[in-house]
Amino acid sequence: EAGVAQSPRYKIIEKRQSVAFWCNPISGHATLYWYQQILGQGPKLLIQFQNNGVVDDSQLPKDRFSAERLKGVDSTLKIQPAKLEDSAVYLCASSLGGSNTEAFFGQGTRLTVV
Amino acid sequence: KQEVTQIPAALSVPEGENLVLNCSFTDSAIYNLQWFRQDPGKGLTSLLLIQSSQREQTSGRLNASLDKSSGRSTLYIAASQPGDSATYLCAVMDSSYKLIFGSGTRLLVRP
């Protein structure tokens, strides 16, 4: 079974520029998560989708971050404009959904804002 | 608000030692708890999933326990090896199906 695919693996941008990350979850997985992981910290949930609907985006900085999951499959996370403090690894995860299903993570995208 | 804490933040042990990593959570209303491993520069690899109705799960040299009422889980690693060196993260699925993480324990197993 193919895992969660993310691209790009690395991205370096200047502050105030925009950037987009892409995630392709495991086939058939209804739930998709985006996490931000700052160096030395645990992952912080940004947004959670169930199919193509948003379940939780309470920690998404909506003035600069946006995410969508068209057709309930692939998802994109965008930052515009980027700030220095957005430098982090952005992780995508998926699960079948429901209360007792395992979450699987992609390799992540390491973003450096200079 | 659910908070997850992992102690210790870092641990260094000699090869062959048995060790225990701790995870605590503030709200016992969880659906499950999952332990992950993260190697430097990599994503997260799922190690064990314990459902809220279960007390423990085992996989090879790993054993995870869950005491939901006291808000605690432990990950026991038997006969540690240098290849076990990584960051170990625990995460709970709360009543809203959100997966909430601790900050991890960085483990170094010295040859």
Side-chain angles (χ1 to χ4, degrees), chain A residues 26-72:
Chain A
I26 294 172
S27 178
H29 280 196
T31 302
L32 186 147
Y33 306 88
W34 280 104
Y35 285 87
Q36 179 193 60
Q37 186 177 26
I38 293 172
L39 189 64
Q41 299 181 16
K44 183 184 89 170
L45 180 66
L46 293 176
I47 189 167
Q48 177 182 345
F49 292 94
Q50 181 72 15
N51 296 308
N52 60 348
V54 175
V55 173
D56 187 284
D57 62 358
S58 57
Q59 296 196 86
L60 187 74
K62 299 181 186 62
D63 58 333
R64 298 184 300 107
F65 286 63
S66 65
E68 61 181 8
R69 189 182 184 196
L70 298 176
K71 300 180 182 178

Side-chain angles (χ1 to χ4, degrees), chain A:
Chain A
E1 160 179 278
V4 177
Q6 288 188 248
S7 67
R9 285 296 314 277
Y10 306 94
K11 190 75 176 178
I12 300 175
I13 62 172
E14 295 182 349
K15 59 183 179 182
R16 292 188 289 274
Q17 285 188 324
S18 63
V19 64
F21 312 127
W22 173 81
C23 173
N24 180 237
I26 294 172
S27 178
H29 280 196
T31 302
L32 186 147
Y33 306 88
W34 280 104
Y35 285 87
Q36 179 193 60
Q37 186 177 26
I38 293 172
L39 189 64
Q41 299 181 16
K44 183 184 89 170
L45 180 66
L46 293 176
I47 189 167
Q48 177 182 345
F49 292 94
Q50 181 72 15
N51 296 308
N52 60 348
V54 175
V55 173
D56 187 284
D57 62 358
S58 57
Q59 296 196 86
L60 187 74
K62 299 181 186 62
D63 58 333
R64 298 184 300 107
F65 286 63
S66 65
E68 61 181 8
R69 189 182 184 196
L70 298 176
K71 300 180 182 178
V73 183
D74 292 4
S75 177
T76 55
L77 176 69
K78 296 179 182 178
I79 307 175
Q80 182 180 13
K83 293 185 176 181
L84 296 177
E85 58 261 35
D86 298 332
S87 294
V89 176
Y90 290 84
L91 296 162
C92 178
S94 70
S95 73
L96 284 170
S99 59
N100 285 310
T101 58
E102 200 171 354
F104 296 89
F105 280 76
Q107 293 278 59
T109 296
R110 181 176 298 278
L111 173 68
T112 302
V113 182
V114 298

Side-chain angles (χ1 to χ4, degrees), chain B residues 63-78:
Chain B
N63 176 277
S65 68
L66 174 64
D67 184 341
K68 202 173 75 161
S69 61
S70 68
R72 294 180 184 178
S73 176
T74 60
L75 179 66
Y76 175 83
I77 303 177

Side-chain angles (χ1 to χ4, degrees), chain A residues 9-10 31 33 35 37 40-45 48 55-56 58-59 89 91 95 97-108 110, chain B residues 1 31-32 34 36 38 40-53 87 89 93 96-104 106:
Chain A
R9 285 296 314 277
Y10 306 94
T31 302
Y33 306 88
Y35 285 87
Q37 186 177 26
Q41 299 181 16
K44 183 184 89 170
L45 180 66
Q48 177 182 345
V55 173
D56 187 284
S58 57
Q59 296 196 86
V89 176
L91 296 162
S95 73
S99 59
N100 285 310
T101 58
E102 200 171 354
F104 296 89
F105 280 76
Q107 293 278 59
R110 181 176 298 278
Chain B
K1 179 186 172 185
Y31 282 120
N32 63 56
Q34 202 166 346
F36 294 88
Q38 186 173 33
K42 304 286 188 181
L44 279 65
T45 300
S46 178
L47 297 173
L48 290 164
L49 170 72
I50 309 178
Q51 299 178 12
S52 60
S53 59
T87 296
L89 294 151
M93 180 173 285
S96 304
Y97 301 103
K98 292 198 299 289
L99 202 56
I100 300 168
F101 281 84
S103 54
R106 293 190 312 280

